[in-house]
Amino acid sequence: MKGLYDALHRDHQRLDEVFETLLNRVHAGDEEAARETWGTFERELLAHMEAEESLLLPLFDRFNPEEAGTIRAEHLGIRAQLAEMGTALELHTLREAKVDNLIRALRQHAAHEEAELYPWADRELPKPAADRLYERLAAVVDAVKRSAHRSSTTRPGPQAP
């Protein structure tokens, strides 16, 4: 099914933009904005991995169980880093280098998936599973747009003197 690779790759690009925003906010020392971005970052990344784990990896297991296991192990490591960083953010101990290391690891993981898993999915994923994956990705993007709209309409304006 042509286009699935592109859709998954675009989702990685969208996530990468959130990663960059988080890194920039941590770099600027804006803890409130970093916490806000962190919530988006964590939700979107977990939703992306969950979609892969529930819709792609069970079928990929039949094709290449070792590679599917490697991707699952990478996801476990990412989840552990997310938990550690979330705690550090709440304790006001999150450092830019830690965020940068996670982003570097996420980019390597994305390249790994795009080299093996996504081309396979583009060629081999049955249409019903591909349709569910498209729907999941679209639902995450819609949720992000709704959340961004709510954030922009609920922020207080300038205060009168």
Side-chain angles (χ1 to χ4, degrees), residues 121-138:
D122 209 34
R123 288 187 318 269
E124 304 293 334
L125 198 64
K127 184 169 176 12
D131 288 346
R132 284 192 304 275
L133 187 56
Y134 279 124
E135 290 169 10
R136 278 260 185 104
L137 295 175

Side-chain angles (χ1 to χ4, degrees), residues 3-92:
L4 190 54
Y5 177 95
D6 292 336
L8 291 162
H9 175 72
R10 277 192 310 274
D11 203 49
H12 275 173
Q13 289 176 318
R14 185 183 58 74
L15 287 167
D16 197 64
E17 290 172 11
V18 178
F19 304 161
E20 279 298 320
T21 300
L22 176 64
L23 183 59
N24 290 336
R25 288 178 172 180
V26 170
H27 177 73
D30 188 342
E31 288 187 26
E32 184 178 330
R35 259 192 302 286
E36 179 184 308
T37 303
W38 176 261
T40 300
F41 171 79
E42 187 175 36
R43 274 190 312 278
E44 291 183 37
L45 183 57
L46 291 172
H48 177 90
M49 290 190 303
E50 202 283 324
E52 290 175 345
E53 291 166 354
S54 66
L55 298 171
L56 289 178
L57 292 178
L59 298 170
F60 192 55
D61 265 328
R62 298 178 200 155
F63 172 75
N64 190 336
E66 184 177 326
E67 186 67 19
T70 299
I71 291 169
R72 281 189 183 96
E74 289 174 359
H75 284 186
L76 283 173
I78 290 166
R79 282 186 174 92
Q81 285 182 287
L82 285 174
E84 182 181 320
M85 287 180 58
T87 300
L89 185 65
E90 289 302 313
L91 296 173
H92 307 281

